[in-house]
Amino acid sequence: MRKKYILQNKLLHDIVKTNKHFINKIVRHDIINLLPYQSARLLHNTQCRQILLNANESPKNHVFHLKVNTFNRYPEPQPQKLKFYYMKYININININNILITRGADEGIELIMRTFCIPYHDAIMFCPPTYGMYQINAQILGVKYYTVKCLCNFQLNLKKIIHKINNYNIKIIYICNPNNPTGNLINKNDIIKLLKFVNNNIIIVLDEAYIEFCHTYTLLKLITQYNNVIVLRTLSKAFGLAGLRCGFIIAYHSIIHTLKKVIAPYPIPQPVSDIAVQALHSSYISIVFDNIKNIIANREWLIRKLKYLNIVKHIYPSVTNYILVEFINVQHVFNYLLKHNIIVRQQNQITQLKNCLRITIGTYHECKQIIVVLQQLLIQ
Ligand SMILES: *Cc1c(COP(=O)(O)O)cnc(C)c1O
């Protein structure tokens, strides 16, 4: 019996081995060596007692109920009602042909690249430290990428950006505004200078995933003045619907028309548009904006308290629902928080962010808990 088991096991082992070999022979080389996005949920599998401050989610949950609950038919490819509600919410003078609904802003990032970049020929550009998915999507699609590091105040290095544009085949520039993980806004004048310089030859993507936390600074209006600007939005952050997977692309109508040719036929599941429509009712929007006020108050409270701790070296100013904090002995701080069930996001592996952690602003209780735990660490 035991012998048979060992034999079976060996066979299985051989099959696995040859299969792995076989996969490496047929898969694209870019994928063999790809380090996938280290998403917060992948790194730290949620346990119920944990305080999750690593994915910039909303700490508040709200119970939604489906209005429609039969699913035998395909959904509307681009639910009209949802587009109307989102247009009403953003309140600028555009029409339904300027919006595309996507499976989160992440799908938008990839869709734009797939539509405009020829693999192994065209390139994108972005300015680290910034959101990781621009690079990973480029790697997956075989699109080249060039980077121009932000200045030390995390603003664009326009001189170097323009130098790269002049020398390489750059089709798209991704600008995360406000920037993740640094928490700052990018100077509007720099973005406009860049737009004037690229003169419709390059697409500028403005990723406004966190714009609700500083909504007066949105650059959405630029899409009525420049045909090559694309704005990305999401319901994952301030709207508290990360689990829903719903995002929006807002741009000049012929850009939207072109992206529609590439997007999957039914990208928005019926339950998603059903709930997204409810989330865009004025009653829920006012809840969202109350939550935002609360998060901002908690952020300022947390910053004030952190300043008193001598393990904190620097707190970067933030207009978002997260803060970037430089610590003395960051690894120890990270592990100590983890041991006390507070999960934050490491940034230490990023060259410009040595010794930094990104902390999502949670409820007042969660912010207080951070301070309590860090004070314990100090007196240890
Ligand atoms: C979270 C995030 C996204 C992705 O949002 P989803 O809509 O959940 O896909 C995109 N850009 C930035 C900068 C983000 O932080």
Side-chain angles (χ1 to χ4, degrees), residues 104-106 109 131 134 176 180 207 209-210 234 236-237 245-246:
D106 277 343
I109 293 167
Y131 186 50
Y134 314 134
C176 189
N180 178 6
D207 184 342
Y210 299 95
T234 178
S236 296
K237 306 289 164 53
R245 312 306 302 126
C246 186

Side-chain angles (χ1 to χ4, degrees), residues 237-250:
K237 306 289 164 53
F239 273 83
L241 290 167
L244 193 63
R245 312 306 302 126
C246 186
F248 300 87
I249 299 179
I250 302 129

Side-chain angles (χ1 to χ4, degrees), residues 141-160:
L141 296 173
V143 168
K144 291 186 215 168
Y145 61 89
Y146 295 102
T147 59
V148 173
K149 282 189 188 137
C150 288
L151 301 168
C152 57
N153 59 0
F154 298 133
Q155 291 298 326
L156 302 178
N157 187 336
L158 275 187
K159 234 170 131 180
K160 286 208 170 146

Side-chain angles (χ1 to χ4, degrees), residues 58 60 238 284 286-296:
S58 166
K60 291 275 170 68
Y284 186 74
S286 63
I287 294 174
V288 168
F289 278 82
D290 281 348
N291 289 343
I292 289 170
K293 266 192 216 151
N294 204 252
I295 293 285
I296 291 172

Side-chain angles (χ1 to χ4, degrees), residues 87-101:
M87 259 169 44
K88 194 168 156 229
Y89 161 66
I90 58 180
N91 191 27
I92 64 161
N93 190 19
I94 56 163
N95 66 53
I96 202 155
N97 301 320
N98 297 113
I99 298 192
L100 189 69
I101 310 165

Side-chain angles (χ1 to χ4, degrees), residues 13 33 50 53 58-59 66 91 123 136 166 223-224 249 258 263 272 276 282 288 316 328 342 380:
H13 182 256
N33 299 319
Q50 286 177 335
L53 305 176
S58 166
L66 288 178
N91 191 27
I136 288 177
N166 286 331
I223 76 147
T224 61
I249 299 179
T258 311
I263 198 169
V272 173
S282 56
V288 168
Y316 290 90
I328 292 164
I342 300 175
Q380 241 190 347

